[in-house]
Amino acid sequence: MKYKDQFDRYMEEHRQEMIEDICELCAINSEKMPAEEEMPYGPGAAECLDAALDMAEGYGFEVQDYDGYVGCVDFEPQMKRQLDILAHLDVVPAGEGWTVTEPFCPLVKDGRIYGRGTADDKGPVVAALYAMRMIRELGIPLKRNVRLILGTDEECGSSDIRYYYAKEPEAPMTFSPDGDYPVVNVEKGRLQGHFTAEFTASEALPRLVSVNVGVKCNVVPGKAEAVVEGFAAGLPEAISLEAAIRETEAATGVRFEMEPDGNRCRITAVGKGAHASTPEDGNNALTGLLSLLVRLPFADCPQVEALRKLEKLMPHGDWDGAALGVAMSDEVSGPLTLAFSMLTVTAEHVDAQFDSRVPICGNEENVLFVIRERLAAAGFTLHNDSMVPPHYVDGNTAFVRTLLDAYELYTGRKGECLSMGGGTYVHDLKNGVAFGASMPETDNRMHGADEFAVIDELVTSAKIFAQAIVGLCG
């Protein structure tokens, strides 16, 4: 209970200022871009990192820039480091379908901040910074240092953090405000599968000209496009196309749009995007499009045969990998999930990617090898030779218990450990967990259109983080 009243008063007085700081960072498009000099992830990420470090320095903290890969904010660098808070400033692509505001025009409305990065992860970054700020400005003594680490490549492979940890040791304890409350002590393993197939081209009509779907492997696509030929108006095949669209829409909930152009037609499947770790939250436009294409009367050819086999291996609505033979679950980490996220098809080849999150009971033998064999039997080559193993931290440690106590104090809810399909920066750290900043009932639409953060939750998070810092470093 110590310091709770002080933290409550401080955040009430600084609430608006925190909102403005979040909006400042969220107005910067920090998607990964081509590298430039001293900008390993492009100018957007560099600008956002500079802005965040300037913000922290303005609040009296010492900061350090690790060659544009990572920035660090130290409470008191002369002290021995006890706790790292590991967050990120990069974002997934803006995507389409935004209705409340433009992706990089943050808007405060109805107790929320809308915009790309508000929840993932710039809002939590600022909440963590304000936790450190209030401890400093309230004069609360710490015996050990806490460091806020700001990465810029979390969404695209975390090469930034590998660069950082090649230079710096892990802290004894680390949490990342890039997950859910109460505490995520289990992160599933991950297999980002890449597979291909080659075949002889065919010009026979009707035919599939091309398929192009996906923006990133870890994003369930909300839109998918194909071009077909030989379905011109007046032909029997055109009637078959229209009937197949009606049938597929009814079966999948995916909507289809057609743009005829002479003897060709562009078909756009419109579903609902989601994070690949929770594919059930979306409606996969890619698998919806496949469901349509296998219904069409294409002339027989190796390409079409491959497409039909692919649809059987990854049918619409199969989120647990059952068709690939890898459905599994355990009590600690829950079920395996699998999202078919990227696909390119031409007359001569298929190039595809999927994202699978694997529970503790999963391993290369019962996941990777099984998928490889199933794909090979259908004529596809899986190019992966390994997968990321699951991550687990004992939930009974003093570290985790301190985090749960802070959560319980400011929410009045019971603290407990959770499993998550999404991976965070702490996945490879010995004593790292995800801690906030989303409350259990809140769907922030991370990685989707109209992403938002609830202001009250971020304010509460700042207080929770401050209480945890004091408990671990005081």
Side-chain angles (χ1 to χ4, degrees):
M1 295 293 289
K2 192 174 183 182
Y3 305 122
K4 183 178 187 301
D5 290 343
Q6 294 179 66
F7 291 163
D8 286 341
R9 285 195 301 270
Y10 183 94
M11 287 310 302
E12 186 60 32
E13 293 169 1
H14 293 82
R15 177 188 180 96
Q16 183 57 37
E17 190 177 359
M18 189 177 84
I19 292 170
E20 292 169 2
D21 284 346
I22 294 170
C23 289
E24 177 185 340
L25 297 184
C26 291
I28 301 170
N29 180 352
S30 52
E31 296 175 28
K32 188 174 185 177
M33 303 173 191
E36 298 183 14
E37 187 176 356
E38 299 182 352
M39 301 177 185
Y41 308 112
E47 179 186 357
C48 196
L49 180 60
D50 287 345
L53 292 179
D54 287 346
M55 188 181 294
E57 200 167 29
Y59 294 138
F61 295 105
E62 290 195 29
V63 302
Q64 186 173 352
D65 187 332
Y66 287 77
D67 304 318
Y69 287 82
V70 164
C72 290
V73 181
D74 283 298
F75 187 88
E76 181 50 72
Q78 282 71 41
M79 294 179 178
K80 185 175 181 179
R81 189 151 47 98
Q82 173 81 344
L83 174 67
D84 284 345
I85 302 175
L86 197 47
H88 69 92
L89 295 167
D90 60 305
V91 296
V92 297
E96 299 179 348
W98 290 74
T99 61
V100 179
T101 186
E102 294 299 311
F104 300 105
C105 296
L107 176 68
V108 178
K109 180 180 179 182
D110 300 328
R112 299 174 172 181
I113 310 174
Y114 287 89
R116 178 60 83 224
T118 51
D120 184 23
D121 192 31
K122 296 176 184 178
V125 162
V126 175
L129 177 60
Y130 269 66
M132 294 170 64
R133 181 187 174 191
M134 79 172 90
I135 293 171
R136 174 182 291 277
E137 294 183 3
L138 290 172
I140 298 171
L142 297 184
K143 296 179 181 178
R144 300 284 179 94
N145 185 37
V146 55
R147 168 176 282 189
L148 175 59
I149 304 173
L150 305 175
T152 53
D153 188 41
E154 193 271 346
E155 300 290 3
C156 296
S158 300
S159 61
D160 53 340
I161 293 301
R162 289 192 292 274
Y163 183 89
Y164 170 79
Y165 282 119
K167 298 176 177 292
E168 298 284 0
E170 294 179 26
M173 306 169 187
T174 305
F175 75 76
S176 177
D178 190 22
D180 298 318
Y181 286 119
V183 167
V184 179
N185 69 323
V186 177
E187 293 187 5
K188 292 180 179 178
R190 188 171 182 182
L191 172 59
Q192 285 197 322
H194 175 216
F195 62 95
T196 59
E198 306 291 331
F199 32 76
T200 303
S202 171
E203 298 294 326
L205 297 177
R207 72 185 184 102
L208 173 65
V209 178
S210 64
V211 174
N212 287 287
V213 189
V215 290
K216 285 189 180 298
C217 190
N218 66 349
V219 178
V220 174
K223 183 173 285 189
E225 291 188 351
V227 176
V228 298
E229 185 176 4
F231 292 88
L235 295 178
E237 288 81 6
I239 299 173
S240 297
L241 173 58
E242 293 171 359
I245 285 177
R246 290 193 298 271
E247 181 181 338
T248 308
E249 286 181 335
T252 65
V254 173
R255 179 171 56 85
F256 295 92
E257 301 170 352
M258 291 191 297
E259 298 177 42
D261 183 12
N263 199 34
R264 290 190 173 189
C265 181
R266 180 179 302 277
I267 302 171
T268 301
V270 181
K272 179 185 177 185
H275 193 289
S277 66
T278 53
E280 68 277 7
D281 291 343
N283 192 4
N284 195 323
L286 191 168
T287 54
L289 179 63
L290 275 182
S291 185
L292 170 66
L293 295 177
V294 298
R295 288 176 161 90
L296 298 183
F298 292 120
D300 286 336
C301 67
Q303 177 211 55
V304 170
E305 182 180 353
L307 203 70
R308 290 170 179 158
K309 290 179 178 178
L310 184 56
E311 191 274 336
K312 288 182 178 179
L313 290 170
M314 298 186 185
H316 189 74
D318 181 12
W319 303 310
D320 59 4
L324 281 168
V326 292
M328 63 183 68
S329 182
D330 60 55
E331 286 189 15
V332 175
S333 52
L336 179 144
T337 62
L338 190 144
F340 194 6
S341 51
M342 301 188 74
L343 176 64
T344 299
V345 181
T346 69
E348 298 177 326
H349 81 271
V350 166
D351 191 298
Q353 296 183 45
F354 63 87
D355 188 319
S356 181
R357 308 300 168 105
V358 182
I360 292 174
C361 61
N363 52 51
E364 291 184 352
E365 184 175 348
N366 61 12
V367 177
L368 174 64
F369 297 165
V370 172
I371 291 177
R372 177 184 292 157
E373 290 175 4
R374 290 287 179 100
L375 287 171
F380 300 99
T381 300
L382 181 68
H383 298 284
N384 304 72
D385 56 11
S386 64
M387 58 176 274
V388 177
H391 170 72
Y392 173 69
V393 173
D394 187 348
N396 295 315
T397 61
F399 166 47
V400 174
R401 188 64 251 172
T402 299
L403 300 181
L404 291 173
D405 287 346
Y407 170 78
E408 291 179 346
L409 177 61
Y410 286 92
T411 66
R413 308 181 187 198
K414 178 176 175 53
E416 59 185 353
C417 290
L418 305 174
S419 168
M420 180 170 71
T424 70
Y425 274 144
V426 304
H427 195 94
D428 297 320
L429 302 183
K430 182 179 179 181
N431 198 26
V433 300
F435 184 46
S438 293
M439 292 295 173
E441 71 279 3
T442 302
D443 175 7
N444 297 110
R445 302 174 189 161
M446 289 185 188
H447 290 205
D450 294 333
E451 176 185 346
F452 69 86
V454 178
I455 295 171
D456 284 346
E457 292 183 6
L458 290 177
V459 170
T460 300
S461 290
K463 294 184 283 189
I464 291 173
F465 297 159
Q467 194 73 41
I469 291 169
V470 171
L472 295 169
C473 303

